[in-house]
Amino acid sequence: MERQQRYGILTRLRPDKREEYLRLHSDVWPSVERMLLDANIRNFTIFLHDDLLFGYYEYTGTDHEADQARIAADPETQRWWTLTDPCQEPMTADSPWAPMQEVWHLTSQVTQDR
């Protein structure tokens, strides 16, 4: 059985780049999608609210850091980022996307009344 971890990430969308970002994401390159799948990323979703972008994905591998490094080293993904990164306004100096802390998750089972 696959082990799954959930990740939430956040960044800002530059208002003047909104249409470009949405256009790019209406047709994500298959090579970029394949790299994400090869790096054990599943159900990657990006939500937009005003100028905030919220990303969610599930990770099914065993070494998240190594798989993230594989994605970052991929030439096609790097080329994709040259188009998408200018559309974003990073939340932190460390990364275009800031990690979020999970505070609650509904599972498929309800716990007994407390």
Side-chain angles (χ1 to χ4, degrees):
M1 181 172 163
E2 290 185 336
R3 189 179 85 141
Q4 175 183 296
Q5 298 169 301
R6 292 175 299 280
Y7 287 85
I9 51 179
L10 183 70
T11 196
R12 289 192 190 285
L13 180 60
R14 294 183 189 276
D16 60 319
K17 298 286 190 170
R18 179 186 186 96
E19 295 308 315
E20 181 178 353
Y21 188 85
L22 295 176
R23 180 185 53 76
L24 286 166
H25 283 83
S26 70
D27 190 23
V28 176
W29 301 345
S31 58
V32 171
E33 293 178 327
R34 171 57 40 208
M35 183 70 247
L36 292 170
L37 291 170
D38 289 349
N40 301 299
I41 303 292
R42 303 292 182 269
N43 297 316
F44 198 144
T45 305
I46 298 174
F47 297 92
L48 174 63
H49 176 74
D50 293 330
D51 66 345
L52 291 177
L53 292 169
F54 164 71
Y56 167 84
Y57 64 91
E58 296 160 358
Y59 177 70
T60 60
T62 58
D63 190 341
H64 185 255
E65 189 174 319
D67 279 329
Q68 289 295 303
R70 284 179 54 213
I71 294 168
D74 177 57
E76 281 293 289
T77 300
Q78 290 173 2
R79 200 163 67 90
W80 174 256
W81 288 343
T82 66
L83 301 175
T84 59
D85 282 1
C87 299
Q88 302 164 9
E89 189 174 316
M91 304 291 282
T92 69
D94 299 339
S95 173
W97 289 82
M100 299 172 66
Q101 178 183 355
E102 182 177 309
V103 295
W104 182 76
H105 173 74
L106 175 65
T107 64
S108 58
Q109 298 178 352
V110 176
T111 58
Q112 297 297 319
D113 291 336
R114 293 176 194 144

